[in-house]
């Protein structure tokens, strides 16, 4: 990850924040964490947070969670197999039905169950991270170029046939924990 301590704000601005929040311990890194947390608030467009430290802490927690999402302990998904063969080769990852999002059909033989509905409340660029993984790791052919995007080649290359299943578990965990942090973000009332 990049060095967030590298000139995130001027000394003058940092001093203004310290004065406004009556907290001489505010550092440049805290400002970055504060803004990251603030931007995840549902009310951030209206005003700024009354409690700098709370938003900075929540922002830090989000930053600890998001960049390392592939290394986080995966959510405990139940793997339900329809036969004896354990084949993780993927074709089209999908929901069993559009309205049934508590499970994912990974292959014709494997369904992943135990996905909390709150996962889909966390949206990045119009989709939940789970839906993004489902779309981008399904085998597909670009209509214009005819180039096939086959995630199975990646699985062979890295030598981990469960990689996408583990990734789904990771983004489920990140989404659940993100939602928990977002629920703790305070109301935004004061403008600096």
């Amino acid at each position: 990850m990049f060095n967030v301590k590298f000139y995130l704000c001027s000394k003058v601005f940092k001093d203004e924040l310290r004065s406004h929040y009556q907290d001489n311990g505010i550092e440049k890194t805290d400002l970055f964490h504060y803004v990251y947390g603030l931007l995840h608030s549902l009310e951030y467009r209206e005003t700024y947070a009354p409690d700098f430290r709370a938003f900075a802490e929540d922002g830090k927690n989000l930053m600890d969670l998001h960049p390392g999402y592939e290394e986080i302990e995966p959510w405990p998904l139940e793997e339900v197999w329809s036969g004896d063969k354990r084949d993780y080769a993927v074709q089209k990852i999908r929901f069993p039905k559009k309205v049934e999002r508590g499970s994912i059909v990974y292959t014709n033989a494997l369904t992943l169950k135990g996905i909390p509905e709150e996962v889909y409340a966390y949206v990045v660029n119009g989709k939940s991270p789970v839906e993004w993984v489902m779309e981008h790791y399904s085998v597909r052919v670009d209509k214009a170029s005819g180039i096939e995007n086959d995630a199975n080649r990646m699985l062979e290359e890295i030598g981990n046939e469960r990689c996408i299943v583990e990734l789904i578990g990771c983004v489920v965990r990140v989404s659940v924990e993100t939602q928990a942090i977002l629920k703790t973000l305070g109301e935004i009332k004061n403008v600096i």
Side-chain angles (χ1 to χ4, degrees), residues 29-41 49 51-67 177-188:
T29 305
D30 297 323
L31 175 64
F32 190 82
H33 294 152
Y34 173 82
V35 170
Y36 198 76
L38 185 67
L39 292 176
H40 279 79
S41 168
D51 186 349
F52 182 92
R53 282 286 165 207
F55 266 77
E57 184 63 28
D58 286 339
K60 181 184 182 315
N61 291 338
L62 289 167
M63 291 202 58
D64 289 345
L65 187 62
H66 293 172
E177 291 187 16
T178 295
Q179 284 303 108
I181 293 169
L182 296 181
K183 287 177 184 173
T184 69
L185 290 174
E187 276 189 44
I188 302 171

Side-chain angles (χ1 to χ4, degrees), residues 1-191:
M1 193 167 113
F2 62 92
N3 185 350
V4 297
K5 293 179 183 175
F6 184 75
Y7 298 114
L8 289 175
C9 67
S10 70
K11 181 183 181 321
V12 173
F13 185 57
K14 182 176 69 174
D15 290 343
E16 286 179 299
L17 288 172
R18 286 177 172 178
S19 173
H20 177 81
Y21 288 102
Q22 298 177 1
D23 181 351
N24 288 329
I26 293 173
E27 297 296 337
K28 292 178 179 182
T29 305
D30 297 323
L31 175 64
F32 190 82
H33 294 152
Y34 173 82
V35 170
Y36 198 76
L38 185 67
L39 292 176
H40 279 79
S41 168
L42 297 177
E43 300 176 21
Y44 86 94
R45 287 185 176 99
E46 296 174 11
T47 52
Y48 291 99
D51 186 349
F52 182 92
R53 282 286 165 207
F55 266 77
E57 184 63 28
D58 286 339
K60 181 184 182 315
N61 291 338
L62 289 167
M63 291 202 58
D64 289 345
L65 187 62
H66 293 172
Y69 72 93
E70 291 175 314
E71 283 85 39
I72 194 169
E73 179 70 28
W75 189 260
L77 299 174
E78 179 185 0
E79 294 185 22
V80 179
W81 292 90
S82 63
D84 293 333
K85 188 177 178 189
R86 299 293 192 259
D87 183 10
Y88 288 94
V90 69
Q91 288 301 312
K92 171 128 177 91
I93 306 170
R94 60 182 174 77
F95 295 116
K97 297 177 183 169
K98 278 189 177 184
V99 295
E100 190 180 321
R101 302 186 307 176
S103 59
I104 293 173
V105 177
Y106 182 79
T107 67
N108 289 336
L110 173 60
T111 300
L112 304 174
K113 293 188 172 195
I115 301 168
E117 184 62 31
E118 67 196 86
V119 163
Y120 303 104
Y122 181 54
V123 175
V124 178
N125 291 331
K127 288 184 186 166
S128 72
V130 170
E131 291 167 303
W132 187 93
V133 169
M134 291 170 63
E135 179 181 313
H136 285 83
Y137 286 93
S138 291
V139 175
R140 61 189 190 281
V141 177
D142 181 75
K143 291 178 185 176
S145 67
I147 295 173
E148 181 181 56
N149 180 16
D150 186 349
N152 295 302
R153 286 191 215 124
M154 175 202 67
L155 297 176
E156 287 175 23
E157 209 172 283
I158 63 173
N160 180 1
E161 65 181 4
R162 291 183 36 80
C163 180
I164 300 169
V165 171
E166 292 166 1
L167 180 59
I168 292 170
C170 290
V171 297
V172 167
R173 164 92 53 209
V174 167
S175 298
V176 168
E177 291 187 16
T178 295
Q179 284 303 108
I181 293 169
L182 296 181
K183 287 177 184 173
T184 69
L185 290 174
E187 276 189 44
I188 302 171
K189 295 178 182 170
N190 297 333
V191 177

